[in-house]
């Protein structure tokens, strides 16, 4: 049975890219374009790992993570932060909220697949190198 990864990001291209990269590695991918929608999905879907963008309007990644940790039903969810860069204050806050790890942006296929496999606890890491020849459709 394949593992399911939820990607929460307000950027449609990042959602598409993450879905493409992770589905090529055999993961089922769910997507949410806001923290609120992501929390709703976490409550009703069987999610193995959530990839959470830190910079989002309305409810940013830290606020979303605080709500996840404050909800009895989903507080134990594994959450990995997605960020181009992260300052020490935000990293300290995220670490204090028990993040599973961090992955950089722009999304790099081998790095993302390896970090997701490690976070989920898979022993074997199957890395798929992806080369883009134009758009994603």
């Amino acid at each position: 049975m394949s593992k399911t990864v939820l990607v929460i990001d307000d950027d449609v291209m990042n959602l598409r890219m993450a879905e493409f990269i992770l589905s090529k590695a055999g993961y089922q991918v769910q997507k949410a374009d806001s923290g609120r929608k992501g929390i709703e999905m976490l409550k009703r879907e069987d999610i193995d790992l959530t990839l959470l963008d830190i910079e989002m309007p309305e409810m940013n990644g830290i606020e979303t993570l605080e709500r996840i940790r404050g909800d009895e039903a989903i507080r134990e969810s594994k959450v990995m932060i997605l960020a181009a860069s992260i300052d020490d204050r935000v990293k300290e806050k995220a670490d204090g909220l028990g993040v599973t790890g961090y992955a950089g942006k722009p999304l790099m296929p081998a790095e993302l697949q390896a970090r997701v496999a490690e976070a989920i606890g898979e022993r074997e890491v199957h890395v798929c190198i992806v080369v883009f020849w134009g758009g994603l459709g």
Side-chain angles (χ1 to χ4, degrees), residues 80-132:
M80 179 178 289
I81 298 294
L82 293 176
S85 65
I86 189 164
D87 68 42
D88 291 339
R89 184 183 56 77
V90 172
K91 185 174 186 323
E92 184 177 314
K93 182 81 169 171
D95 287 344
L97 290 166
V99 294
T100 304
Y102 299 86
K105 283 182 170 183
L107 300 175
M108 305 304 281
E111 176 195 3
L112 183 60
Q113 291 167 357
R115 290 191 187 277
V116 166
E118 180 181 2
I120 290 177
E122 293 180 335
R123 290 191 178 129
E124 264 185 74
V125 178
H126 300 280
V127 176
C128 172
I129 304 301
V130 179
V131 178
F132 289 99

Side-chain angles (χ1 to χ4, degrees), residues 1 4-5 15 53 56 71 76 90 94 97 101 111 123 129 135:
M1 186 166 107
T4 302
V5 178
L15 289 172
D53 181 28
M56 294 186 293
D71 188 313
E76 299 300 320
V90 172
L97 290 166
E111 176 195 3
R123 290 191 178 129
I129 304 301

Side-chain angles (χ1 to χ4, degrees), residues 17 20-21 107 109 130-136:
M17 181 81 84
F20 185 79
I21 292 167
L107 300 175
V130 179
V131 178
F132 289 99
W133 300 100
L136 291 174

Side-chain angles (χ1 to χ4, degrees), residues 11-80:
D11 185 307
V12 175
M13 185 53 83
N14 284 334
L15 289 172
R16 286 183 180 168
M17 181 81 84
E19 179 180 36
F20 185 79
I21 292 167
L22 295 172
S23 64
K24 289 293 181 189
Y27 296 104
Q28 297 295 318
V29 180
Q30 299 287 330
K31 301 177 292 187
D33 63 5
S34 72
R36 182 186 52 75
K37 289 178 185 175
I39 289 169
E40 290 171 7
M41 291 183 80
L42 266 173
K43 289 180 179 182
R44 69 173 191 266
E45 303 287 334
D46 186 20
I47 303 295
D48 296 291
L49 177 67
T50 298
L51 301 180
L52 178 61
D53 181 28
I54 208 75
E55 294 292 331
M56 294 186 293
E58 296 177 35
M59 186 183 347
N60 68 36
I62 292 297
E63 293 166 335
T64 302
L65 185 55
E66 287 172 336
R67 290 194 186 181
I68 290 169
R69 295 299 183 238
D71 188 313
E72 186 69 33
I74 57 175
R75 82 167 24 135
E76 299 300 320
S77 300
K78 290 182 179 181
V79 178
M80 179 178 289

